[in-house]
Amino acid sequence: MGHRVAPTTPNLDPNSLARFVDPLPLPIIAQPVDYRPAPDHSGERVPFYRVTMQAIRRKIHRDLPATTLWSYGGSVPGPMFDTRSGQGVLIEWANELPARHFLPIDHSLHGAERDKPEVRAVVHLHGGKTPPEGDGYPEDWYVPGQSRTYYYPNQQEPALLWYHDHAMGINRLNIYAGLLGLYVIRDAVEDALHLPSGKYEVPLVLMDRDLRPDGQLSYPVSPDPERPWVPEAFGEAHLINGKLFPYLDVEARKYRIRILNGANGRFYRLSLSPNLDMHQIGTDQGLLPAPVTMKHLQLAPGERADVVIDFAELRGTNMLLMSEAFTLMQFRVASTPAPEEGNLPATLRPVPRIAESQAILTRRLTLDEQLNMVSESMGMLLNKTPWHMPITEKPKLNSVEIWELVNLTDDVHPIHLHMVRFQILDRRRFDAFEYMTKGNLRFLGPAMAPESNELGWKDTARVNAKTVTRIIVPFVGYPGRYVWHCHILEHEDNEMMRPYEVMTT
Ligand code: C2O
Ligand code: CU
Ligand code: CU
């Protein structure tokens, strides 16, 4: 990508540390502090939570000094919200962060100029069908000492969502600092499937970080101190629920493992060692129609996977969760047999495919790369349009549209739309040079169906290099202003994000 990396003091080599000396931490479950009237005038009283964003120091490995992090509610990841479909919740998000940032702000990025306060935050519930005033619009940031209370109606099917920072121009730094957490929605239909639950349901938040030898976070910078932004940040240290190389004692039975790729830019390609099957039962927006058995699971930043792993065969042994050559964590399987009721259901929850004929509009939207002559770095854009330009995508409420995402770049970009869920129609290679020179879309092969583990509802889709990815999107929910963007946070912070507006007329 033609960017240079500044020589800095070498980061800590995580492989110099002892493995599997810390137990896997499990997120604490958020508890309401009160019940308050829902703002939707239903008169119903709903749980009210209060979460503070605050700096903390936490040991991410037994043999490292405590690391400074920014947390929701005192832990990274933050407390997990355990909610029910159709039952709204109110959350007050209080910004009690320090006045100074500890990661390298690039003031040349739009929205992060020197006249903006250094520390700003706003929370977005990723995957939430949230009214626009509570969606965490990137420009709705607020400073330390302030708070906002957002209403999440939960008028949507069960899924593993996540909340994270979305402040314009510094979102990559705020999330890197630790501002992310999980939010689960459940319902009776899902309960009736009797999937592994309670202590047999384990959430895993994956994220990669670079650490200095003293255990502090290190975020990469360009050689230009005026423009420290880098096009992507990959770390060598993989934190699982905030720990490096943790272990988890498991019984010799099935577990439901719910995984979030919370990394800034890394794509995980997960496998087990020994090479046991994983049964994927759900994706970003809930259950798949049927389990999909796999040995490798690819997860782009922002994507989630709901997976069942049966440890019964591995009684008395240890197993590793890997991503390519990286070791992420260890499962220690008990040697005693663990009785359990029932098998994994053969069917889960129907996901009727949306007919293309339902779409009233097809939008062709490009993913572009352009060389910034000033910084000599590659910038990414959506539809060649920077953030501040007038809104161009204005779908009608309750209409269905097809978005053809034409990736002219050499990278995979995970594209995410706020508020809605969608289905992936297909992917097709095309001649990008011909498109760029003549504006002509010439395909180079047949349309490829989505992977079998993508046949559920999605909110983030991998748009492969030099490929057109088509998604079909029912704009059901709330009218108002939202955003869509690449979920590689470095891209998102540097113009690979656009507003869109759901219209009532
Ligand atoms: Cu994960 Cu704009 O969000
Ligand atoms: Cu989102
Ligand atoms: Cu991108």
Side-chain angles (χ1 to χ4, degrees):
M1 300 228 336
H3 59 278
R4 299 150 304 179
V5 172
T8 46
T9 46
N11 287 318
L12 174 85
D13 176 6
N15 294 313
S16 65
L17 295 167
R19 296 179 182 205
F20 321 130
V21 293
D22 292 290
L24 177 79
L26 294 173
I28 58 155
I29 305 297
Q31 300 298 333
V33 290
D34 194 4
Y35 287 80
R36 295 196 180 172
D40 57 11
H41 311 294
S42 60
E44 205 189 331
R45 295 178 81 79
V46 298
F48 172 81
Y49 300 81
R50 188 169 193 277
V51 176
T52 56
M53 304 170 209
Q54 55 187 273
I56 56 170
R57 289 177 59 77
R58 280 293 174 285
K59 278 171 82 74
I60 61 179
H61 185 277
R62 183 195 67 186
D63 299 332
L64 285 177
T67 305
T68 295
L69 300 163
W70 284 5
S71 75
Y72 290 110
S75 64
V76 175
M80 183 166 97
F81 291 86
D82 202 330
T83 72
R84 303 291 295 182
S85 178
Q87 299 178 9
V89 302
L90 278 165
I91 307 177
E92 179 182 356
W93 303 100
N95 182 347
E96 295 179 6
L97 294 168
R100 307 304 306 246
H101 217 297
F102 69 112
L103 296 174
I105 295 178
D106 186 329
H107 294 289
S108 74
L109 297 185
H110 181 80
E113 297 82 359
R114 286 192 195 278
D115 63 345
K116 304 286 189 307
E118 199 168 297
V119 177
R120 305 172 275 120
V122 61
V123 185
H124 166 62
L125 178 61
H126 179 130
K129 194 201 275 186
T130 309
E133 59 277 11
D135 192 55
Y137 196 71
E139 291 171 348
D140 288 347
W141 48 261
Y142 48 99
V143 296
Q146 296 188 341
S147 79
R148 299 286 183 271
T149 299
Y150 288 164
Y151 182 53
Y152 303 101
N154 286 339
Q155 298 290 344
Q156 60 187 105
E157 284 185 2
L160 176 66
L161 314 184
W162 62 300
Y163 57 95
H164 61 73
D165 188 72
H166 223 300
M168 194 77 202
I170 52 168
N171 160 47
R172 71 194 182 293
L173 306 176
N174 287 354
I175 296 179
Y176 197 86
L179 291 174
L180 78 174
L182 298 175
Y183 184 111
V184 187
I185 305 179
R186 307 180 190 277
D187 77 351
V189 177
E190 198 171 293
D191 295 345
L193 292 171
H194 298 294
L195 296 165
S197 65
K199 64 176 172 172
Y200 306 117
E201 179 183 343
V202 176
L204 296 182
V205 175
L206 314 182
M207 54 200 208
D208 59 334
R209 297 291 183 268
D210 269 332
L211 301 172
R212 299 187 201 288
D214 64 356
Q216 300 311 304
L217 293 184
S218 164
Y219 184 89
V221 289
S222 81
D224 181 351
E226 290 300 305
R227 295 183 175 82
W229 178 85
V230 292
E232 59 263 312
F234 299 126
E236 296 280 304
H238 298 277
L239 304 186
I240 319 297
N241 294 351
K243 284 281 183 198
L244 190 49
F245 298 128
Y247 70 87
L248 179 68
D249 286 314
V250 293
E251 294 174 28
R253 54 158 287 152
K254 286 195 269 304
Y255 278 71
R256 180 180 188 185
I257 315 268
R258 310 190 73 170
I259 311 169
L260 160 70
N261 181 349
N264 278 38
R266 183 180 293 279
F267 289 63
Y268 280 101
R269 188 163 182 269
L270 303 174
S271 62
L272 299 170
S273 170
N275 201 349
L276 194 72
D277 283 342
M278 297 179 267
H279 306 278
Q280 189 171 346
I281 58 169
T283 177
D284 305 338
Q285 284 284 322
L287 292 173
L288 285 160
V292 176
T293 298
M294 48 179 52
K295 301 245 188 245
H296 294 276
L297 167 58
Q298 212 201 336
L299 273 187
E303 284 188 308
R304 287 86 72 207
D306 199 345
V307 170
V308 170
I309 298 175
D310 191 348
F311 294 103
E313 295 171 34
L314 291 167
R315 239 169 358 106
T317 65
N318 294 333
M319 197 178 73
L320 301 178
L321 177 66
M322 315 277 298
S323 176
E324 316 274 1
F326 290 107
T327 298
L328 305 185
M329 67 171 287
Q330 182 191 51
F331 295 99
R332 297 179 181 169
V333 188
S335 51
T336 45
E340 60 176 320
E341 351 66 66
N343 291 318
L344 184 56
T347 58
L348 298 162
R349 186 171 202 138
V351 181
R353 303 300 294 169
I354 310 168
E356 284 184 41
S357 58
Q358 289 200 39
I360 60 159
L361 189 71
T362 295
R363 293 179 197 270
R364 179 170 294 173
L365 301 157
T366 55
L367 280 52
D368 326 277
E369 193 167 67
Q370 63 175 27
L371 185 67
N372 181 318
M373 301 313 257
V374 184
S375 62
E376 292 174 52
S377 63
M378 280 297 185
M380 307 287 173
L381 286 176
L382 295 173
N383 229 20
K384 296 199 165 56
T385 317
W387 166 262
H388 69 270
M389 298 295 283
I391 298 181
T392 39
E393 285 68 62
K394 296 183 177 180
K396 288 196 181 64
L397 186 64
N398 297 322
S399 73
V400 176
E401 295 190 359
I402 293 172
W403 286 22
E404 287 183 354
L405 302 164
V406 179
N407 186 353
L408 296 164
T409 80
D410 293 320
D411 296 303
V412 188
H413 300 275
I415 296 295
H416 169 52
L417 277 67
H418 283 208
M419 205 275 281
V420 292
R421 57 180 190 172
F422 56 77
Q423 295 176 0
I424 300 176
L425 288 173
D426 51 28
R427 296 189 174 90
R428 201 165 181 187
R429 307 251 316 140
F430 72 104
D431 188 328
F433 183 76
E434 186 168 322
Y435 188 89
M436 285 186 274
T437 50
K438 298 189 193 129
N440 183 29
L441 185 59
R442 186 168 63 84
F443 291 110
L444 297 176
M448 291 167 298
E451 311 278 326
S452 42
N453 67 339
E454 292 178 318
L455 291 172
W457 288 101
K458 297 279 293 165
D459 57 44
T460 306
R462 293 188 294 279
V463 179
N464 296 338
K466 307 273 187 322
T467 298
V468 177
T469 299
R470 295 192 312 144
I471 61 173
I472 187 161
V473 195
F475 286 90
V476 177
Y478 305 91
R481 203 178 47 167
Y482 292 95
V483 301
W484 67 288
H485 59 87
C486 176
H487 223 287
I488 294 176
L489 303 180
E490 285 65 33
H491 298 179
E492 173 185 349
D493 261 349
N494 191 3
E495 301 290 357
M496 205 171 190
M497 175 166 73
R498 284 285 294 156
Y500 83 88
E501 186 168 0
V502 180
M503 314 294 290
T504 43
T505 47

